[in-house]
Amino acid sequence: MSEVPAGFVPANFSPGFLTLSGPYFIHRGEGETRLGLLVGESHANYVGVAHGGVLATFADVALSFAVHDSERPALAVVSNTLTVNFLSGTKSGDWLEATCRLDRKGKRVAYCSGEIRRADEVLMTMTGVYTILRKE
């Protein structure tokens, strides 16, 4: 696939690193939010597949967004721990989708897990721990 699927819109995350590492897309469905990334040539490493850092960044973006989006007003979060398991590679033109679960959230710390897929194939599983920066 070389195009963004219907239902996904630009995520328009804050400018800076996320602008350079994306662009990312978002789909809000019933009870589930998915983030998407269309792998481009700029994401490839020297052997022509998506660099592991690109996939790890996508994992961190997706997991942290699950925490960020879990309350209104949205939460400010920073990463504490990110663990990724690379199960398969991906190349330019592939459409990837991340789904995440908020496993536990306290006042200051949240735990998430999820996966990144290309169609029905799981490319990566991931877990993360995030600090919530609440204004007190």
Side-chain angles (χ1 to χ4, degrees):
M1 170 178 287
S2 316
E3 58 187 49
V4 176
F8 280 86
V9 297
N12 294 323
F13 294 137
S14 58
F17 179 72
L18 295 183
T19 302
L20 297 173
S21 62
Y24 300 102
F25 298 86
I26 190 167
H27 181 277
R28 293 184 185 275
E30 292 183 31
E32 181 182 63
T33 298
R34 291 176 287 154
L35 293 183
L37 174 67
L38 181 59
V39 179
E41 289 182 23
S42 65
H43 298 123
N45 62 17
Y46 69 97
V47 294
V49 298
H51 192 284
V54 170
L55 298 178
T57 298
F58 185 34
D60 189 43
V61 168
L63 291 170
S64 63
F65 185 76
V67 180
H68 168 80
D69 200 45
S70 67
E71 289 184 20
R72 292 293 175 262
L75 299 171
V77 301
V78 294
S79 308
N80 286 350
T81 304
L82 176 66
T83 303
V84 298
N85 301 296
F86 297 98
L87 306 177
S88 186
T90 188
K91 62 188 181 322
S92 181
D94 287 345
W95 173 254
L96 308 182
E97 290 185 21
T99 56
C100 300
R101 294 169 295 285
L102 189 56
D103 299 321
R104 181 178 176 149
K105 183 178 76 174
K107 289 184 178 183
R108 292 192 174 92
V109 178
Y111 301 82
C112 301
S113 57
E115 61 189 27
I116 294 174
R117 293 179 171 266
R118 176 183 54 222
D120 292 331
E121 180 183 10
V122 177
L123 302 181
M124 174 186 279
T125 59
M126 65 265 198
T127 60
V129 180
Y130 296 85
T131 295
I132 300 168
L133 305 173
R134 293 186 187 274
K135 295 179 181 177
E136 299 191 48

